[in-house]
Amino acid sequence: MVTQSQNTAIPPSWNEINTLINKMSPVKENNTDTIIKELNNILQRMTLVVDSDEKQFAKCYRKLNFKLNLLKQVDTTHDLKNLDQRMLKLAKEHHIVRDTPAIGKFRRAVGYVRDMVSNTVEEGASGTRKSKILSEEYWKEFLDKWHRHPKILDKAFNNWKVYGFNEKMDFWEYLKLQENSGLFSQNELEEASGVVYLNSEERAKFRSSIQMDGDKVICKGANGSTLPDGFYITVLGPDHQYYLAGKQEGKFQHASFFAGKSVITAGKFLIEKGVLKHFISESGHYKPEKLEIFKALKDLESKGIDISKIQVVYGAGDDKTIIENPKTWSEYQSFLKEGMPIFPKLTPEADLEDHPQMFEVDRKAARLANDRFGGGVYNRKIEAVIPCDGMAAHVEWVQAKNRIAREIGIIPSPSLDNYLWQNSATSVRELLHDAQALSKDFHDKCEDIAASAHSVANFGPKDACFLKSEASLERKVNQDSKFLGISKQQALSKIGDALRGTIYTDNPKKVQKIVEGVIEYANEKQGKVVFKNIWAEERESGYVGLHAKIYLPVPSSEGEKAKYLIVELQIHLESIMNGSELCPKEREHLIYEKVRTGSFNPLDVSSASKLIMLAAMRNAIDFMEEQDKVAKGV
């Protein structure tokens, strides 16, 4: 006979619940059924806990919500509404406010836009590949109903991020309100009234035909008529047809032909008496790289055009380079390898006497350019190696970046209201004082988190990058105030790196452990954290990494008003950032800063930046694969 006392289960404790959560299976696409069962079991157990410790409940709840959010991102087969409703009910019962999804929606929108502006085009025997997409600085123009110029949209967008970023007012509503508020001058409104975007019927009127007439390359309009003398903007569309028109600044531009969608390449033609004289690889909307103009020339040659009759010009503004005319496409390929100051094939022992200023990071980039991208040019202005085949380098950079991103896994953002976070300080000196008050605890916690993941915390040589100086903070406040068009006090409230640190690890698979430690730290301090996963982005620069923005209470005396400070923690791979001044991250930063400080071709800078980071990422992947072999006993 079973007695009543024997049949009564002992209520679970919060320690037991916490242990169950920590032992949950990893969230992956192939084990979602297991995760759902575990979540349901733990939720059921949580309702049986009799201990009313709200702090313990909140700790377990946030960990469980973190798992549920990961599950939502990988599970496409189950209806998770029941789980979500159970979590919401628990949250309401214990007075926990769930985060708004506004910024999460915005981040996902970036991926949608990238798909919207992309086309897939045929590229001969090599199969299909993505064509040249619209530069990100023009995405808002693409989405805007009237396709207004970025000078209007960017100005409004920067203000919206400070004042209007909430669920009740989206960017377009905010923009509409600002049009008559005095934010824009009359000249700005007139100059940026809208770019024409053509449909297929309208585009047909701009299709051109290019053919040989004796030894001349003749270019004609859609109706077969000879075109007047002058410069014409042109694109090679995904249909392998050329489209030409006279450029009208702010009205009709390269994006007009295919309504912002991707093209094979874009540039300008110079036509004199119906003859195509110059082909200039220049477009602000598509930013063609060196090889893209050669792709266009290869296309012309395949159509029977003698490309030796066309003068090729690469670059924009004062940085144009005239390319001497080889006669055939194969000679253009040879020209890429032989007609420029290419590095000789390097061995690990080689000493580049012509470039003694090169760092080891650059030498690794040069070797990679020689091995994979047809050689490289050492640009003395940029002081970096530019791969000859910039497109191929970009493709491999994307592949390596995505490979590491998959190994890192999905990065959550437990707090999504970070646009509302503000430093409490009202002066630069007070901001520095708050950072100093938090510094020891932040420093020690970074060390603890790093140690738990068998990684390293770093704050720069002799902790030089730990606390920003008062002069540096003053400079940043002034710069942000001017760039965003906001007051200095507003700029001060948004400074996010007065206190900062870095954790670097040798293996991408350790990053999740670091992320969990950062989330736990924020929760312990009753703060908040949001992550910016740059591994999941595709930037003009080659920069990759993971940034944590943490909103922490500043230690204060009893009775004092609560104060907060925004701090930054970067998470990197050791092959990219190891704390030295000459690591790939610092070297890449120095290179990319040149875009802002001088008249350099941004495409050359981008290629140099991606080459350095690609070499570092390949090292990380090689190390990870070697560790996997050791673990498997291979």
Side-chain angles (χ1 to χ4, degrees), residues 41 79 98 134 151 166 214 220 435 445 593 614:
N41 175 53
D79 185 354
R98 298 225 341 198
L134 195 67
K151 69 170 65 176
N166 58 58
K220 295 185 177 182
K445 197 61 187 180
E593 278 292 298
L614 173 59

Side-chain angles (χ1 to χ4, degrees), residues 273-387:
K273 297 180 181 179
V275 178
L276 175 55
K277 292 286 190 179
H278 286 192
F279 191 175
I280 305 169
S281 179
E282 178 181 3
S283 168
H285 278 73
Y286 290 102
K287 294 182 169 51
E289 296 187 69
K290 285 180 178 177
L291 280 193
E292 284 165 351
I293 193 168
F294 297 134
K295 282 199 296 182
L297 292 170
K298 183 179 182 180
D299 181 87
L300 285 171
E301 188 179 59
S302 71
K303 295 172 181 174
I305 303 301
D306 182 355
I307 58 177
S308 70
K309 303 298 181 183
I310 304 170
Q311 177 67 71
V312 179
V313 182
Y314 171 73
D318 296 330
D319 201 25
K320 287 188 175 71
T321 302
I322 295 176
I323 300 174
E324 298 300 328
N325 287 25
K327 295 180 181 180
T328 64
W329 166 247
S330 60
E331 286 189 28
Y332 266 110
Q333 290 181 306
S334 176
F335 171 76
L336 279 174
K337 295 181 179 180
E338 298 173 9
M340 297 182 185
I342 307 300
F343 275 123
K345 289 292 182 180
L346 299 176
T347 64
E349 299 78 28
D351 181 25
L352 297 177
E353 296 179 1
D354 292 340
H355 308 293
Q357 69 273 44
M358 286 182 64
F359 301 113
E360 180 58 29
V361 169
D362 301 297
R363 296 178 191 277
K364 289 179 179 178
R367 294 183 181 98
L368 181 59
N370 280 326
D371 292 342
R372 306 286 298 175
F373 311 122
V377 181
Y378 187 81
N379 186 304
R380 293 182 184 276
K381 287 184 179 179
I382 301 173
E383 296 181 348
V385 180
I386 301 170

Side-chain angles (χ1 to χ4, degrees), residues 506-526:
D506 58 5
N507 194 318
K509 295 177 181 179
K510 296 179 181 178
V511 170
Q512 284 287 349
K513 180 69 174 176
I514 298 170
V515 168
E516 289 174 7
V518 174
I519 293 172
E520 189 172 339
Y521 170 49
N523 290 339
E524 283 175 3
K525 295 297 177 182
Q526 296 185 321

